[in-house]
Amino acid sequence: MMAKVGYSVFKRVTTARLLSQMCLLALTVPLLASSAISLATANENEYEGENESYAIGLWGDLPYSDLQATTGVPNLIADMNAQNLAFTVHDGDLKAGNSIAGSVTPTTCSNDLYTQALGYFNALKAPAAFTPGDNDWTDCDRASNGGFNSRDRLDYERQVFFSTNFSLGQRRLAQEVQTAQLCLGASGTAVPCVENRRWTVGKVTYATLNIQGSCNNLCDTAPDPEEYAARNAADIIWMRETFQVAKARKSVAVMFISQGDPGWDLTDGTRAPLRDPKTLAETDGQPDGFQSFLLALRDEVIAFRKPVAYVHGDSHYHRIDRPFLDAQGRRLENFTRVETFGDNAANGTNDVNWVKVTVNPRSREVFSYQPQIVPGNRVAVPSP
């Protein structure tokens, strides 16, 4: 198990060995070809500076168009690279839900899509974490996306993005991996859920969870209840283990990052499933791919008592709120939902932005949030 990493150690410890140059994307981020990647890790027994503040970057649901792929996302990456970030996380959806006729960048679920995304992640100076989104595997069985087998696409993502126990990015962060064979691959055999990751920086523990929109693979073109059941059980195990690890490490807070917006209450049916906030049962008649996970999460959040942030994308509306209630209808004061910016392709680069999180272990709430409106991506009100 990876030991905790103090942020001062995290910032300065790198290896001298450089990895090979990254592949150049013809239509995105020309500087990639000359970028070198180093590994940034700390020795297992090194642990200092745990009370230092640091910043991280959150983004996702991008790119959704040629303009976003060739201009918006490179602008966003440059903006992140201009700031001192401990790491970044993309919370899924590497493309729009359907392919775009006449596009010159990858908009189906072909291998080129994942090559493009890998180039983006490795253009980031800070370690880059990623969790898959429904548009890049669950929904790949749509005819408009190429009619791929969804499990096959997830298997391919595991190969491209999750083949080691390190993050992506020009500096790399060691991560714990869910290596138990709990998920289902394209062949029908049990495989490790290697996309589920965990790491600790300073006194905060982070984890990604493969939780998807499109009813978490229980609806849309080709529902897959067997795949869902296996992965959902694995997600619950990984989530519970993360709280155990956080307690053992005396972490002051936990942050989870996933893709799907599960819906939290009865107020937001235009953007998420409608859900009874007390029972957490879905009320809109759709298959419910989230209730069992949410019930388990609620128990753990209450027992943990310290701040818990839950980051997701999916419904394309940046917000920070506290929508989680207990069984008596009381708001969970230690829980914050954070939704990243998402596509607004009709307005070009209008919503190609990110969220900066300042992590201060000495503060009561630990996390503070600041939207980062990328100057080069402003559309309605141009940058001064």
Side-chain angles (χ1 to χ4, degrees), residues 146-167:
F148 291 88
N149 177 283
S150 294
R151 293 194 202 178
D152 174 79
R153 293 294 79 188
L154 180 55
D155 282 352
Y156 189 71
E157 287 195 284
R158 288 167 175 154
Q159 174 186 334
V160 172
F161 302 118
F162 306 108
S163 61
T164 74
N165 65 333
F166 289 93
S167 69

Side-chain angles (χ1 to χ4, degrees), residues 247-277:
K247 291 174 183 176
R249 293 177 179 170
K250 295 181 171 54
S251 293
V252 297
V254 168
M255 176 179 284
F256 293 103
I257 306 98
S258 69
Q259 191 269 332
D261 182 351
W264 306 89
D265 54 29
L266 298 170
T267 66
D268 196 23
T270 60
R271 297 187 181 275
L274 290 173
R275 190 172 302 282
D276 184 319

Side-chain angles (χ1 to χ4, degrees), residues 2 41 162-167 173-177 197-198:
M2 185 184 70
T41 63
F162 306 108
S163 61
T164 74
N165 65 333
F166 289 93
S167 69
L173 173 65
Q175 299 172 313
E176 297 163 66
V177 180
R197 301 282 168 128
R198 180 168 53 239

Side-chain angles (χ1 to χ4, degrees), residues 27-39:
L27 295 168
T28 60
V29 200
L31 57 84
L32 292 181
S34 62
S35 295
I37 304 171
S38 63
L39 300 180

Side-chain angles (χ1 to χ4, degrees), residues 74-348:
N75 284 346
L76 182 152
I77 290 171
D79 197 49
M80 282 186 169
N81 284 345
Q83 304 199 39
N84 183 23
L85 302 177
F87 61 85
T88 69
V89 190
H90 186 294
D91 59 18
D93 275 10
L94 303 174
K95 61 179 289 299
N98 297 292
S99 63
I100 301 170
S103 64
V104 296
T105 59
T107 60
T108 70
C109 295
S110 69
N111 290 359
D112 290 343
L113 172 71
Y114 311 102
T115 300
Q116 174 179 263
L118 185 64
Y120 291 142
F121 298 143
N122 285 337
L124 286 159
K125 293 179 180 178
F130 168 63
T131 190
D134 57 347
N135 292 357
D136 43 85
W137 75 276
T138 303
D139 298 337
C140 289
D141 47 24
R142 295 175 183 174
S144 66
N145 287 329
F148 291 88
N149 177 283
S150 294
R151 293 194 202 178
D152 174 79
R153 293 294 79 188
L154 180 55
D155 282 352
Y156 189 71
E157 287 195 284
R158 288 167 175 154
Q159 174 186 334
V160 172
F161 302 118
F162 306 108
S163 61
T164 74
N165 65 333
F166 289 93
S167 69
L168 305 167
Q170 292 178 29
R171 298 198 317 274
R172 300 210 167 174
L173 173 65
Q175 299 172 313
E176 297 163 66
V177 180
Q178 190 174 31
T179 56
Q181 295 184 346
L182 300 174
C183 288
L184 290 179
S187 66
T189 58
V191 298
C193 312
V194 291
E195 65 275 21
N196 284 349
R197 301 282 168 128
R198 180 168 53 239
W199 62 98
T200 296
V201 176
K203 297 186 73 173
V204 177
T205 296
Y206 303 86
T208 55
L209 297 161
N210 188 347
I211 299 174
Q212 301 301 307
S214 300
C215 311
N216 209 5
N217 209 14
L218 287 182
C219 62
D220 210 85
T221 300
D224 192 343
E226 291 183 350
E227 189 284 327
Y228 156 78
R231 179 172 44 82
N232 182 61
D235 285 332
I236 292 173
I237 290 171
W238 194 241
M239 178 269 295
R240 290 191 186 279
E241 286 182 356
T242 297
F243 279 108
Q244 293 171 6
V245 167
K247 291 174 183 176
R249 293 177 179 170
K250 295 181 171 54
S251 293
V252 297
V254 168
M255 176 179 284
F256 293 103
I257 306 98
S258 69
Q259 191 269 332
D261 182 351
W264 306 89
D265 54 29
L266 298 170
T267 66
D268 196 23
T270 60
R271 297 187 181 275
L274 290 173
R275 190 172 302 282
D276 184 319
K278 295 182 181 180
T279 66
L280 298 178
E282 200 162 328
T283 63
D284 55 11
Q286 294 296 312
D288 193 341
F290 307 102
Q291 185 187 20
S292 59
F293 173 82
L294 290 174
L295 288 168
L297 176 64
R298 184 165 68 181
D299 289 344
E300 295 292 341
V301 168
I302 292 171
F304 187 62
R305 298 190 178 185
K306 301 173 185 177
V308 177
Y310 192 92
V311 179
H312 68 78
D314 192 25
S315 46
H316 301 186
Y317 187 74
H318 169 56
R319 52 191 158 176
I320 299 166
D321 58 10
R322 297 177 183 264
F324 215 5
L325 306 184
D326 70 6
Q328 299 180 56
R330 300 173 301 187
R331 197 168 307 283
L332 301 186
E333 297 95 340
N334 63 324
F335 180 89
T336 302
R337 179 263 294 275
V338 182
E339 182 167 1
T340 53
F341 288 90
D343 159 67
N344 189 354
N347 289 332

